[in-house]
């Protein structure tokens, strides 16, 4: 393969992952007002995007840490009460 073809394949992969990831993420966002498991679908979309995009990895990491923080807070209140 030539360098041009290799670059084109990488760009096509990034584009396909971006389209699929954004589609899943936007579906999750729509599920915030429509019936459906929005808080399950949105992280899946971010996970797909995180394969290729650094901003999505950072956002997913921030979302995971926020979820863990809420989980610890819930468990502490459960033990205290």
């Amino acid at each position: 393969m030539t360098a041009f073809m290799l670059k084109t394949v990488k760009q096509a992969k990034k584009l396909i992952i971006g389209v699929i990831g954004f589609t899943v993420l936007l579906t999750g966002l729509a599920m915030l007002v429509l019936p459906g498991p929005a808080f399950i679908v949105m992280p899946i979309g971010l996970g797909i995007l995180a394969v290729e995009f650094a901003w999505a990895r950072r956002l997913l990491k921030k979302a995971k840490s926020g979820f863990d923080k809420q989980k610890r807070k819930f468990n502490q209140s459960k033990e205290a009460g």
Side-chain angles (χ1 to χ4, degrees):
M1 286 180 124
T2 65
F4 176 74
M5 287 180 63
L6 190 58
K7 184 178 179 183
T8 304
V9 169
K10 286 182 182 181
Q11 288 175 339
K13 178 185 168 196
K14 193 170 192 171
L15 177 68
I16 291 168
I17 288 174
V19 168
I20 292 170
F22 275 115
T23 302
V24 173
L25 184 62
L26 290 175
T27 302
L29 286 172
M31 286 182 189
L32 287 172
V33 293
L34 299 172
F39 295 107
I40 295 172
V41 176
M42 288 172 30
I44 292 171
L46 277 176
I48 293 169
L49 290 169
V51 170
E52 285 292 325
F53 301 103
W55 62 266
R57 276 190 291 274
R58 289 190 301 269
L59 191 58
L60 187 60
K61 185 184 271 189
K62 190 181 287 191
K64 282 181 183 179
S65 67
F67 176 77
D68 289 339
K69 187 177 180 181
Q70 291 298 321
K71 190 169 115 179
R72 281 193 302 274
K73 197 183 277 190
F74 176 76
N75 286 336
Q76 288 173 352
S77 68
K78 194 172 153 182
E79 291 172 1

